[in-house]
Amino acid sequence: SAVISQKPSRDICQRGTSLTIQCQVDSQVTMMFWYRQQPGQSLTLIATANQGSEATYESGFVIDKFPISRPNLTFSTLTVSNMSPEDSSIYLCSVPTFRTDYGYTFGSGTRLTVV
Amino acid sequence: DQQVKQNSPSLSVQEGRISILNCDYTNSMFDYFLWYKKYPAEGPTFLISISSIKDKNEDGRFTVFLNKSAKHLSLHIVPSQPGDSAVYFCAASAVLQGAQKLVFGQGTRLTINP
């Protein structure tokens, strides 16, 4: 399965600022997914990043708050904009494996704290 | 609407005994169920899965049981080892809104005591 490099691994940011998270995959993948895990909560899908087209956002998530780029088949970024303490979470990127019964492969995550 | 639920936030088990983690779901459209294991500062890693047409899948010390009528699955780890201490996420896969997606439970923190 694919290997994902995600960075930064953690950051502490001031409210009102923005942070861009990067994910690099060691193979070409059609879709990349961005998840958020708030403290004590499940992993929630933010959006699906498609190469060459706009990202598809899940209910409750909007492009102005979480703009996504997907310039090629191995790379994607997620920006958390105009941050507030409620944005403090772990953000994860993931890609499908080649088998449905294996689900997805995940990056190591970015632990974001907004102060 | 929480489609996948893990009602036990934590579980503590003695080393060598059986660990049983439970998961309930509501959507009959799920076609695969997966368990992921997550250590601190790492992303979730795939552990074991089961198709909705089966009721049991075994891989070494790990067995997943599916009860479709009850919309319930469980992960059995036997014997439990200290390295099994981690957060375990149940996930369900289905085509939702035209795309294959994974829906996760809240996770159960498993602690294996020596």
Side-chain angles (χ1 to χ4, degrees), chain A residues 2 4 8-9 13 31 34 39 43 51 54-55 57 81 84 87 90 93 98-99 101-102:
Chain A
I4 303 175
S9 59
C13 300
M31 292 186 294
W34 287 97
L43 281 72
Q51 196 272 332
E54 291 274 331
Y57 288 82
S81 303
S84 67
D87 294 319
I90 299 173
C93 61
F98 60 90
R99 288 174 53 162
D101 57 343
Y102 282 10

Side-chain angles (χ1 to χ4, degrees), chain A residues 31-49:
Chain A
M31 292 186 294
M32 293 179 71
F33 305 95
W34 287 97
Y35 281 84
R36 179 178 74 180
Q37 185 191 4
Q38 294 177 301
Q41 303 297 313
S42 64
L43 281 72
T44 302
L45 181 63
I46 297 171
T48 302

Side-chain angles (χ1 to χ4, degrees), chain B residues 69-113:
Chain B
S69 61
K71 292 189 172 67
H72 177 83
L73 64 154
S74 61
L75 173 68
H76 292 211
I77 306 172
V78 55
S80 300
Q81 301 174 354
D84 296 330
S85 295
V87 177
Y88 289 79
F89 289 96
C90 169
S93 173
V95 174
L96 301 172
Q97 291 131 13
Q100 190 81 26
K101 293 181 181 176
L102 281 183
V103 179
F104 286 83
Q106 305 96 312
T108 296
R109 181 178 300 279
L110 175 64
T111 302
I112 306 300
N113 301 306

Side-chain angles (χ1 to χ4, degrees), chain A residues 10 31 33 35 37 40-45 48 56-59 90 92 97 100-109 111, chain B residues 2 31-34 36 38 40-46 48-50 87 89 93 97 99-107:
Chain A
R10 59 175 60 229
M31 292 186 294
F33 305 95
Y35 281 84
Q37 185 191 4
Q41 303 297 313
S42 64
L43 281 72
T44 302
L45 181 63
T48 302
T56 305
Y57 288 82
E58 298 298 307
S59 175
I90 299 173
L92 299 133
T97 61
T100 303
D101 57 343
Y102 282 10
Y104 300 167
T105 298
F106 285 84
S108 54
R111 182 179 292 273
Chain B
Q2 188 73 29
D31 54 4
Y32 273 95
F33 301 90
L34 307 96
Y36 282 80
K38 186 179 184 300
E42 296 183 12
T45 56
F46 170 77
I48 191 170
S49 67
I50 188 167
V87 177
F89 289 96
S93 173
Q97 291 131 13
Q100 190 81 26
K101 293 181 181 176
L102 281 183
V103 179
F104 286 83
Q106 305 96 312

Side-chain angles (χ1 to χ4, degrees), chain B residues 26-39:
Chain B
T26 58
N27 192 335
S28 300
M29 298 300 292
F30 291 132
D31 54 4
Y32 273 95
F33 301 90
L34 307 96
W35 286 94
Y36 282 80
K37 180 178 180 179
K38 186 179 184 300
Y39 293 117

